Amino acid sequence: PVVRASAEYIAEMRKYSRPVAEQWADAEPTADGESGSAQSLVEALGRVQELGAEGADEQAVLAPRQSTLTGEAGVESAYVRPRPPVYLRDCLAYLRDRAEGSERVEVALFALAGCVERANVKAVEELWVQLANKVLYTYNRGPDRLDAAWDAARQRALVALAVRLPQQMGPYLADRSCDRNLTLADRELVLSAIGTACLRLSGRESEGSGIEDVTDEQGSQGVPDSAGTVVRRSRRLDIAARRPAPSADPAQRAYAGLAGPAFFLPLAAQFGRSDTSAQASDVRGDAGQLARYVDVLGVILYSAPAATHQLAMARAFLGLVRLVQRLPARTGEARPVLDALLFGIDALLTPGRALSTPTLAREFGGELGGVLRWIGALLERGLLGESAAAAHAARIVERLREIQADVGRRVASSDFDRYTSII
């Protein structure tokens, strides 16, 4: 309750704030023997009782300490929004808050990516496992309109962790991409985080770009004008052109040695893992998930043209292409799956990569011949149509013809002419 007191009462009470001995020393005796100060004190106490009973004094000069927030409408509210955390340990403490209706989890999740980018390496190495697990298994319990922003914040946090610790987070995310304990949407979020982290580490990610932009850019180039012609080139010039320009960013230079063992090879090993592990989901059962899975593998190939483990990556991807070709038509021949497969083969055969044409012909002659026959069968059946996959197929055939002309390991020339005319 608000204590109301008049200025006159306060001035009267200030006289009695001195020690009692001084008050009685200054008191003057009255006719009835009582001191004036004592009589004044009695009168003051009587006024206090009257004020407490009436409570109608308009001259209020004392008020209680404000302990609540007041909105624009003057309505008092005890709500205070949690302050965004600055350190990783604070983020983890917020994420562990299990109170119903608490906003600490939301505040921490939206601030986690920035905290990871600012934190020192020692703190990230100490807390990355706990943070990654919390991000993966933290779901939106608020309004449904926050679902999209919530998933975007989760993906940003996983990407930030993967960029800071690629050797640890790469295999971790690859293992979670087929985790049966995660929903299908969560697995796609993990795959998107892997692709985005690889693009950022390679320096190929611009503001607002993502995996879809990379595949669209590769597929929008159309059929090359030189398709079906033999190009004579100097091997010395080809080697010089394939030599990657030195990067000023140490992280980009290190990515060439990390793309294979940290991201591509662990992710490629997840195909068919459900046959040996009860905790793994079968990526072959859903065409959409399979297309996303193969698409991310293609993005990794695209982002690492000078990868140290290029030979192992090419062998794993071409082996994956053979396995997908054996799947039922409803999965293996779905349009998104074909687009992803041809995008990956196109990225693998792009001139300027670490693998030379003699190496491709010597190591993968049989696989490349099988790819050529497979593309021809798809075109004859009209499964590619006017899509990005047709542009990828055109570039693949052109590149295979260049390999044929360079090293003399020929597939039948009539097959090349036939398939090129179809394209």
Side-chain angles (χ1 to χ4, degrees):
V2 178
V3 178
R4 299 181 180 273
S6 64
E8 181 183 1
Y9 167 70
I10 292 177
E12 185 73 21
M13 294 301 297
R14 282 176 180 171
K15 297 190 302 183
Y16 302 101
S17 62
R18 296 179 300 165
V20 177
E22 297 180 6
Q23 299 176 20
W24 285 98
D26 297 339
E28 298 180 359
T30 57
D32 54 359
E34 295 182 359
S35 64
S37 297
Q39 185 177 4
S40 300
L41 179 60
V42 172
E43 295 175 357
L45 292 176
R47 285 197 296 269
V48 170
Q49 293 177 356
E50 293 176 0
L51 290 174
E54 297 178 3
D57 197 334
E58 298 295 334
Q59 301 178 1
V61 295
L62 297 180
R65 181 178 179 181
Q66 185 175 3
S67 60
T68 59
L69 298 179
T70 303
E72 298 179 356
V75 180
E76 293 184 353
S77 172
Y79 169 75
V80 178
R81 183 175 178 83
R83 180 176 298 177
V86 178
Y87 302 102
L88 285 184
R89 293 191 180 278
D90 296 337
C91 282
L92 186 58
Y94 275 35
L95 291 173
R96 287 174 172 171
D97 190 356
R98 297 183 178 181
E100 188 69 25
S102 174
E103 293 192 11
R104 287 161 58 93
V105 176
E106 177 186 347
V107 171
L109 185 62
F110 281 82
L112 181 55
C115 293
V116 172
E117 294 171 357
R118 294 188 301 266
N120 58 63
V121 178
K122 183 177 180 181
V124 180
E125 289 178 345
E126 184 178 353
L127 301 175
W128 72 270
V129 177
Q130 304 172 58
L131 290 171
N133 286 332
K134 279 295 180 183
V135 169
L136 280 178
Y137 297 100
T138 299
Y139 300 98
N140 177 29
R141 296 182 180 180
D144 294 340
R145 56 183 173 82
L146 293 178
D147 286 344
W150 190 276
D151 291 341
R154 295 169 66 198
Q155 180 175 337
R156 286 196 303 270
L158 293 175
V159 170
L161 288 170
V163 170
R164 293 300 303 274
L165 297 177
Q167 290 180 301
Q168 293 89 336
M169 281 294 296
Y172 173 87
L173 292 177
D175 186 64
R176 294 300 183 275
S177 65
C178 296
D179 192 346
R180 192 181 297 273
N181 296 323
L182 294 177
T183 64
L184 186 59
D186 290 338
R187 293 177 221 156
E188 292 184 356
L189 184 144
V190 171
L191 290 173
S192 298
I194 294 174
T196 305
C198 291
L199 290 174
R200 184 173 300 179
L201 286 170
S202 65
R204 295 172 179 264
E205 183 197 34
S206 59
E207 286 296 327
S209 66
I211 298 178
E212 292 79 3
D213 301 321
V214 172
T215 55
D216 292 343
E217 178 186 354
Q218 286 289 97
S220 62
Q221 298 176 4
V223 180
D225 297 335
S226 59
T229 61
V230 178
V231 179
R232 304 289 183 181
R233 297 197 313 229
S234 169
R235 286 190 59 196
R236 182 175 299 178
L237 295 178
D238 287 347
I239 294 174
R242 280 194 300 269
R243 187 176 295 115
S247 174
D249 189 356
Q252 295 182 17
R253 293 198 300 268
Y255 177 67
L258 293 173
F263 292 101
F264 187 90
L265 297 178
L267 185 60
Q270 300 300 316
F271 188 86
R273 180 167 164 259
S274 60
D275 296 338
T276 58
S277 175
Q279 297 297 324
S281 175
D282 193 357
V283 72
R284 302 165 295 184
D286 182 78
Q289 185 182 5
L290 178 60
R292 193 67 169 176
Y293 170 80
V294 178
D295 202 15
V296 173
L297 291 175
V299 168
I300 300 175
L301 289 174
Y302 166 81
S303 65
T308 307
H309 303 79
Q310 192 73 238
L311 189 63
M313 295 165 65
R315 183 174 291 109
F317 190 81
L318 292 176
L320 177 66
V321 171
R322 291 200 311 270
L323 293 176
V324 173
Q325 292 174 0
R326 300 172 184 172
L327 294 178
R330 62 180 178 83
T331 303
E333 294 183 356
R335 178 62 64 83
V337 175
L338 296 179
D339 290 349
L341 289 173
L342 293 173
F343 165 69
I345 298 172
D346 187 12
L348 182 63
L349 299 179
T350 300
R353 302 189 65 84
L355 292 179
S356 62
T357 51
T359 302
L360 287 172
R362 182 179 64 253
E363 298 291 338
F364 309 108
E367 290 84 350
L368 296 179
V371 167
L372 182 63
R373 292 187 292 271
W374 175 60
I375 292 176
L378 294 177
L379 291 171
E380 287 181 346
R381 297 168 57 189
L383 295 179
L384 299 183
E386 298 294 334
S387 64
H392 292 311
R395 285 194 295 271
I396 292 170
V397 172
E398 180 193 15
R399 181 61 178 151
L400 291 178
R401 192 174 185 99
E402 292 177 3
I403 294 174
Q404 174 200 22
D406 286 344
V407 300
R409 295 184 57 123
R410 298 177 177 273
V411 181
S413 298
S414 59
D415 290 340
F416 274 112
D417 296 336
R418 177 186 177 191
Y419 296 147
T420 304
S421 63
I422 292 176
I423 293 175

